[in-house]
Amino acid sequence: MDQERLRAWIAAHLGRPDLAIAEIRPLGGGSIQENRLVRCQIAGESRDFVLRMDASATIASSRSRAEEFRILEAVWKAGVRVPEPVGFCDDPAVIGAPFALMGLVEGVGLGPRIAKDLSLGGDRERLAEALGRELAKIHAALDPATPPASLAFLGAPEPDPARAEIARLRASLDGIGAKRPAIEWGLRWGEIRAPACPAPNLVHRDFRTGNYMVDANGLTAVLDWEFAGWGDPAQDLGWFCAACWRFGRPDLEAGGIGSRAAFYRGYVEAGGRPIDPESVAYWEVMAHLRWAVIALEQGARHVSGREFSLELALTGRMVPDLERAILRATAPASWS
């Protein structure tokens, strides 16, 4: 990375020619994108940024960094608790690839640690409520009928979000040449049971423990917007509550950190639409299906040789457990 070119770009973007870079180092977390801390000095004061760019290999279902940044700008303006979107550079001559620059948010984002370390997040029922409120703000952040011009790439909402999701998952399986009968069974179950969605809105599509940050007192930011788009709001509720995202705390149905009741309460009190338990339960099954497909994509990044990574290899090894959960949830006895 050419540090001087990066310094010059940030200085010009902020209008601060006196800006100096004191440190650049990788940040932990982020299994799909690459994040780096950029510590700057401006007039003798320190200011920290996060530089976000594509990893050496990505997955097909992830948005580009440019699209993710435009979504981040829009939800920031709507008052969602996210890192400040500072700027986007699409000139690969600066550091070799396009990148987004965001303000650094203090806190911990590692899912297993948040679930197990009770010194983080403050009161856990209040944290679950706060996450429900934040999700309601996300779902109300944009009107699909009049999106800002910067989000034209989102297109029109799918009239049938559940079946559109199934089509995307099948395309992802085909894209990596994966043949997984249990997943195909689950996708067919999803087609048969697909709920209607009369009013799609903006959904995060990866709203879970591990994609938000907390400090000792509570929630500090919602992260990782690379899958966001129009969809069924129940999808986010189901993804957050799915058993595969509870990190060893199956008793805490809201992301392994609190009760489902508290999460739902925060969501409804903040203006989220009425919750349909059957739709949420459907999307919890779909969460296992989608996570299984993403895990296969992650494993393929390693096996292909494009990005050797023990983490990616181990992610691919999660798939049989996810398939077992899918088969249990979609057994014929549950079709009544």
Side-chain angles (χ1 to χ4, degrees):
M1 179 179 293
D2 190 319
Q3 185 166 311
E4 174 52 31
R5 287 186 177 181
L6 177 60
R7 187 211 67 78
W9 185 88
I10 298 174
H13 184 76
L14 297 179
R16 295 302 304 259
D18 57 333
L19 179 142
I21 293 179
E23 179 187 8
I24 300 177
R25 61 177 169 83
L27 288 171
S31 59
I32 297 176
Q33 315 306 338
E34 182 177 316
N35 301 303
R36 299 184 188 184
L37 170 70
V38 181
R39 177 158 290 150
C40 297
Q41 291 289 326
I42 305 175
E45 295 186 0
S46 181
R47 185 173 178 189
D48 292 344
F49 303 97
V50 173
L51 185 151
R52 184 167 168 87
M53 59 189 293
D54 281 333
S56 54
T58 60
I59 63 175
S61 54
S62 173
R63 291 195 178 279
S64 70
R65 303 291 58 71
E67 291 181 353
E68 182 186 32
F69 185 79
R70 298 309 169 203
I71 293 170
L72 188 71
E73 283 185 316
V75 297
W76 165 268
K77 291 176 182 176
V80 178
R81 196 177 305 186
V82 295
E84 178 188 1
V86 176
F88 185 81
C89 177
D90 58 7
D91 182 0
V94 176
I95 62 169
F99 65 88
L101 195 70
M102 302 169 290
L104 178 73
V105 176
E106 297 294 338
V108 173
L110 185 63
R113 184 177 171 192
I114 291 173
K116 295 171 184 175
D117 187 348
L118 298 184
S119 69
L120 296 171
D123 180 275
R124 291 309 181 94
E125 289 295 271
R126 290 183 181 178
L127 176 60
E129 286 186 9
L131 285 160
R133 289 194 296 272
E134 209 63 30
L135 187 58
K137 288 198 291 184
I138 291 169
H139 290 168
L142 299 172
D143 182 353
T146 57
S150 62
L151 298 184
F153 59 84
L154 292 178
E158 296 281 353
D160 189 345
R163 291 190 174 91
E165 179 72 5
I166 290 167
R168 283 191 291 268
L169 294 177
R170 285 202 169 116
S172 295
L173 286 174
D174 292 343
I176 58 175
K179 296 177 175 60
R180 310 293 299 206
I183 295 177
E184 293 291 353
W185 166 275
L187 293 175
R188 180 58 182 150
W189 177 94
E191 285 181 321
I192 294 169
R193 290 296 189 98
C197 177
N201 52 225
L202 181 70
V203 291
H204 184 281
R205 297 186 74 241
D206 203 8
F207 190 86
R208 62 174 177 84
T209 300
N211 281 341
Y212 58 82
M213 297 188 73
V214 297
D215 59 16
N217 299 311
L219 179 67
T220 60
V222 178
L223 308 175
D224 295 341
W225 292 80
E226 67 259 46
F227 297 114
W230 306 127
D232 186 337
Q235 180 177 14
D236 279 342
L237 293 164
W239 186 259
F240 188 81
C241 293
C244 57
W245 294 124
R246 295 179 194 168
F247 296 101
R249 292 302 308 268
D251 54 316
L252 299 176
E253 295 184 350
I257 55 95
S259 70
R260 187 186 296 262
F263 178 59
Y264 283 2
R265 182 167 59 249
Y267 182 77
V268 173
E269 288 178 354
R273 67 184 61 178
I275 293 170
D276 177 356
E278 288 190 9
S279 291
V280 176
Y282 170 89
W283 283 107
E284 287 182 53
V285 177
M286 290 296 295
H288 286 82
L289 284 159
R290 182 162 163 252
W291 178 212
V293 172
I294 292 173
L296 286 169
E297 290 181 300
Q298 297 286 61
R301 290 166 64 189
H302 170 79
V303 172
S304 69
R306 292 176 297 158
E307 185 177 354
F308 289 112
S309 163
L310 178 60
E311 180 183 0
L312 294 179
L314 292 175
T315 300
R317 299 280 291 179
M318 295 178 181
V319 176
D321 287 339
L322 292 166
E323 289 175 323
R324 188 178 300 110
I326 291 163
L327 291 174
R328 286 174 174 165
T330 60
S334 68
W335 285 38
S336 61

